[in-house]
Amino acid sequence: MTRQGYSYKIFARSDYSAFWALFTDNLVNLMVLSGVCQFLFRMPPEIVYGRIVPGAAIAILAGVAVYVWLARRIAQRTGRDVTALPYGISTPVMFVYLFGVIGPIYWATQDALLAWQVGIGAGFLGGIVAACGALVGPLLKRITPRAGMLGTLCGIALVFIGSVPLATIFENPVIGFSSLVIILWGLVGRFRLPFDIPAGLLAIGVGTIAAIVLGQSSWQVEQIGFYPPLPWIGDLMAGVSYLIANPELLLVLVPVQIYNFIETMNNVESAEAAGDVYPVGLCQLTDGAGTMIGAVFGSPFPTTVYIGHPAYKRMEAHAGYIIGVAGVIGLSAVFGLLALLNGLIPIAAAAPVLVFVAISLITNTAHSVRPESMAAVTIAILPHISSFLVTKWGSLANAMNAVGVEGAPALGDAALTAALMQEGAHYEGHLALAQGAIITGLVWGAIVASVIDARFRNAAGFALAAAVMSSVGILHAASLQWPQLDGITVGYLITAAFLFVYPLIARQAEPETAGDATLPPTTAAAPAE
C-alpha cells in the first residue's frame, strides 16, 4: 500500500557516492576485457572500441532501464525509499567467455574476427540459457535457505571483491592508502567529509591526483572518436553457425550460464535481506535479455545483477546512481573515452571502493541470518577459497611460461599433483571444489542450514541435486559429460540417503542433541546497524 503523500525521488544526493562505487566496478571490468581482447587476442581497436565496448554499453543501458522502472514501481507500491539493483558485466562469467570461448578460437585459428564472432554467438545463446532461469528461479528461491544463498556470495566477496583489490592497494600503497582512508572514513565510518563531498568521488579523485603527481597516469587520446552502437546480425549468425558446427564449445556455456542465473538469484536475495524485495524471475529474465541485446550490438559478455546491493543501500542510494553509471559508460563508449579513463584512473585508486562493497555484503549477511545459521554461511564460503587458490596457481604457471621457464610441468600433471600433495597443497581437492564453486557453496550452505532447522528432506533434496549435477559435470568438472558414477557423486548419494533415512529411524534427531558441544549457544541475534 502506498503511503499517502509519499513521492519517490529517483535522484538523491546519496546517489553520488553509490555512483562512484558502481562505476568503478563496471569500469574495471571494461578495462580488463578491452585490454585482453586488444593485446592478448590481437583484436583491432575498431572491434574492441567500435563494437565490443558500445555493445556492452547498450546491454547495460537496457538492463538499467528495467531496474530503474522496477525500483520506482516497488517504491510507489510500498511507500518507502528503495535502492535500485546494481547491474553490469558479470565478472566471473566474463573471464569464462574470455578464456573458455574467445581465447581457444583465437589460439586455434589466429583469426581475431572469427573469435569475436563466436564470442557474440556464445553470448546470445548464453543469454537464452540465462533467461530460462526465470522458469526455475522463483522455486529455487523458495526452497533455498537464505544462509546458503548469501554465504556463497560472501565467498565471492571475500576472495575476489575484497582480497584481490586489497592486494592491489598494498602493491601501490601511496595511491591506495590515500583512497582507502577516505573510504573507511566516509563510507564505513559514515563520518562527514568537507563540503559533503561524496566519499567515492573524493577517494578516486585523490588517488588519481596522487597518480598524476607520481607520473603513474597517462593521457591516451588515440582511440577518441565516434563509435555509434550498431547491430551486427551477420557476424552474430556466423558465430552461432560456428558454435552449432562445433558443439563442444556449447558445453562451456551451459554450466556457466546456470551459474549466472543462480548468481542473479543470490544477489536478489541479498537485496531482500537488506530490505528491498524484487521479483527474482523478472530479474533473471532481464539479465538474459540484456545479454542477448548486448550480443546483437557486438558484446560477447553476459550481464547480471551485481553483488553489493547492501553497500548501496547503506549509502541510501535510490535509482539515480545506476542511471548515472549507464549514462557515463554509454557516452564513454560512443566517444571512445574508455582508453582515456583506463590511463587516467589507476586501479589502486578505485580498489578501495570494491573493498567497501565486500565489507558491506559480508557484514549485512551477518546481520540478516540467525547466529546459528552462520555455520551454513561459513561452509558456503569455503569453495571460493579453493577457487581462488586454483586461479592463482594457474596464474603462477602462466607466469613461469611467460618468463621462459622450460620443462616446468603443467597444472594437473600427475607428478606435480603428487608433489603438491606431499607439500600439503591438495590440488585435486581444491580443483574439484573450484569447478562450480558458487553452486557448490550454495548447495552445502543449503544442506547445513536445512539440517540446523531440522528440514532433513530439504537437505537431502539438495544433496541429491548435487549428485545429479556432479554426475553430468555441472559441479566438480571442467565441462559437461555423460552421466557417470564417480567418487564425489557417490558421496553426495550417501549424504542424501543418510539425511532422508536416518531421521525416520532415529529416536531423536533434533538440532539440540546433534549440535557441537564445543560451540557456545547464542540466544540473541546481533542488533542491526
Side-chain angles (χ1 to χ4, degrees):
M1 181 179 297
T2 303
R3 189 171 64 220
Q4 188 173 4
Y6 171 81
S7 177
Y8 179 64
K9 295 180 179 179
I10 290 180
F11 292 92
R13 182 175 180 81
S14 50
D15 281 309
Y16 289 114
S17 282
F19 161 81
W20 286 104
L22 182 60
F23 174 69
T24 298
D25 210 347
N26 275 278
L27 178 63
V28 169
N29 280 342
L30 291 171
M31 289 166 62
V32 169
L33 69 86
S34 61
V36 170
C37 288
Q38 185 174 4
F39 300 111
L40 188 59
F41 302 151
R42 304 299 178 187
M43 291 185 185
E46 54 266 26
I47 289 182
V48 176
Y49 296 105
R51 303 182 185 185
I52 293 177
V53 174
I58 288 295
I60 292 171
L61 284 165
V64 163
V66 175
Y67 289 123
V68 170
W69 170 77
L70 263 180
R72 187 171 182 271
R73 178 187 176 195
I74 292 170
Q76 290 176 337
R77 188 177 71 240
T78 59
R80 59 179 181 81
D81 290 342
V82 170
T83 297
L85 289 169
Y87 179 75
I89 302 295
S90 173
T91 305
V93 180
M94 175 185 75
F95 283 107
V96 173
Y97 271 67
L98 280 171
F99 297 106
V101 179
I102 299 173
I105 298 299
Y106 174 74
W107 292 320
T109 65
Q110 296 296 305
D111 188 338
L113 177 62
L114 177 62
W116 168 70
Q117 289 173 333
V118 173
I120 60 174
F124 188 83
L125 295 178
I128 295 174
V129 176
C132 289
L135 300 176
V136 296
L139 173 62
L140 283 175
K141 189 172 182 295
R142 283 197 302 272
I143 66 175
T144 306
R146 171 172 288 183
M149 288 190 281
L150 298 187
T152 197
L153 289 183
C154 284
I156 299 172
L158 177 68
V159 298
F160 291 108
I161 302 177
S163 297
V164 173
L166 188 62
T168 304
I169 292 169
F170 275 78
E171 288 173 348
N172 198 339
V174 175
I175 295 173
F177 280 36
S178 300
S179 297
L180 179 61
V181 69
I182 296 171
I183 293 297
L184 294 177
W185 181 271
L187 295 183
V188 178
R190 294 184 175 182
F191 293 106
R192 182 176 178 272
L193 290 165
F195 308 107
D196 288 328
I197 298 174
L201 171 60
L202 184 61
I204 293 176
V206 168
T208 301
I209 292 171
I212 293 172
V213 172
L214 295 173
Q216 297 183 24
S217 283
S218 61
W219 294 86
Q220 301 177 13
V221 298
E222 297 85 359
Q223 304 305 327
I224 293 179
F226 182 61
Y227 304 97
L230 299 172
W232 303 94
I233 304 298
D235 294 287
L236 174 65
M237 297 309 298
V240 170
S241 298
Y242 189 94
L243 287 167
I244 293 174
N246 298 271
E248 66 275 6
L249 287 171
L250 295 174
L251 300 182
V252 178
L253 300 181
V254 175
V256 78
Q257 287 299 346
I258 291 174
Y259 159 90
N260 205 34
F261 76 68
I262 288 179
E263 181 186 27
T264 296
M265 180 185 74
N266 292 343
N267 290 337
V268 171
E269 179 68 19
S270 175
E272 183 173 328
D276 293 339
V277 181
Y278 285 92
V280 65
L282 180 56
C283 293
Q284 290 170 320
L285 183 62
T286 299
D287 291 352
T291 299
M292 288 186 280
I293 291 170
V296 170
F297 283 87
S299 171
F301 304 105
T303 54
T304 187
V305 172
Y306 264 17
I307 243 179
H309 175 277
Y312 305 117
K313 184 71 174 177
R314 181 171 178 170
M315 296 180 198
E316 299 180 350
H318 288 199
Y321 80 107
I322 64 171
I323 296 175
V325 169
V328 172
I329 287 178
L331 289 174
S332 299
V334 170
F335 294 104
L337 299 177
L338 180 63
L340 176 64
L341 295 174
N342 286 353
L344 188 61
I345 302 175
I347 296 295
V353 180
L354 302 181
V355 173
F356 165 71
V357 170
I359 291 172
S360 295
L361 190 140
I362 295 170
T363 303
N364 186 73
T365 296
H367 287 303
S368 60
V369 301
R370 293 174 297 132
E372 56 268 31
S373 295
M374 285 304 295
V377 172
T378 302
I379 198 170
I381 289 174
L382 299 180
H384 297 282
I385 297 175
S386 295
S387 178
F388 182 76
L389 289 172
V390 170
T391 299
K392 295 306 173 185
W393 286 337
S395 299
L396 176 61
N398 292 337
M400 293 176 67
N401 291 329
V403 298
V405 175
E406 297 182 0
L411 283 177
D413 178 83
L416 178 60
T417 299
L420 286 170
M421 176 69 78
Q422 289 181 349
E423 294 297 324
H426 300 270
Y427 175 75
E428 287 186 337
H430 284 302
L431 181 63
L433 282 166
Q435 292 166 328
I438 189 170
I439 306 177
T440 301
L442 183 147
V443 164
W444 281 102
I447 289 173
V448 172
S450 298
V451 168
I452 290 170
D453 294 335
R455 298 171 60 204
F456 302 116
R457 289 186 177 181
N458 200 63
F462 274 99
L464 184 60
V468 174
M469 289 187 287
S470 176
S471 72
V472 297
I474 293 175
L475 293 182
H476 314 305
S479 63
L480 292 181
Q481 61 196 18
W482 290 109
Q484 61 183 33
L485 203 63
D486 57 14
I488 294 178
T489 301
V490 172
Y492 278 122
L493 291 174
I494 292 171
T495 302
F498 176 88
L499 290 169
F500 185 78
V501 174
Y502 183 73
L504 300 178
I505 61 176
R507 291 183 178 180
Q508 285 187 324
E510 297 296 326
E512 292 81 12
T513 62
D516 186 346
T518 64
L519 296 177
T522 54
T523 58
E529 291 186 351

